[in-house]
């Protein structure tokens, strides 16, 4: 499972409100309400309010985020978009806190 492999050997840090400024993090795995974002060697886990769980099921789905000013933060609204059906929205959720995972 890609989700488990992304977190293997990593230790969680203190949750933070936002990803670093000018972050280029990408969603690399999803399970249930949890999304994993990768930024270089760092992985951030984000527990959403639900509605984006379809993201983990289909490689043709992508996460579209709307962030203003400070970047991607807790409370940011996101949509799951189907790239094969001309942008059909398959879900939506609000992001929670970002928990960084790094090598101990």
């Amino acid at each position: 499972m890609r989700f488990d492999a992304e977190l293997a050997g990593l230790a969680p840090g203190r949750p933070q409100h936002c990803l670093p400024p000018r972050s280029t993090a990408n969603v690399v795995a999803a399970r249930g309400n949890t999304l994993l974002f990768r930024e270089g060697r760092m992985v951030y886990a984000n527990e959403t309010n639900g509605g984006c769980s379809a993201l983990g099921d289909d490689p043709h789905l992508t996460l579209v985020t709307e962030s203003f000013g400070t970047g991607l933060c807790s409370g940011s609204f996101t949509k799951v978009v189907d790239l094969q059906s001309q942008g059909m929205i398959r879900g939506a959720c609000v992001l929670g806190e970002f928990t960084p995972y790094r090598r101990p």
Side-chain angles (χ1 to χ4, degrees), residues 58 60-62 80-91:
D58 189 334
H60 303 295
L61 299 179
T62 191
V80 177
V81 175
D82 189 333
L83 299 175
Q84 286 191 320
S85 67
Q86 300 173 339
M88 181 176 170
I89 296 174
R90 298 273 307 268

Side-chain angles (χ1 to χ4, degrees), residues 7-83:
L7 295 179
L10 303 180
R14 181 176 298 189
Q16 50 194 58
H17 186 67
C18 297
L19 288 178
R22 295 182 210 87
S23 173
T24 58
N26 293 315
V27 175
V28 291
R31 178 185 289 158
N33 293 340
T34 305
L35 304 178
L36 297 181
F37 292 81
R38 176 172 288 287
E39 171 86 34
R41 297 177 61 160
M42 184 81 68
V43 176
Y44 295 90
N46 189 286
E47 188 73 23
T48 71
N49 72 334
C52 287
S53 60
L55 193 59
D57 297 336
D58 189 334
H60 303 295
L61 299 179
T62 191
L63 191 70
V64 176
T65 61
E66 296 177 18
S67 58
F68 304 96
T70 60
L72 204 53
C73 295
S74 175
S76 293
F77 180 73
T78 63
K79 296 179 256 186
V80 177
V81 175
D82 189 333
L83 299 175

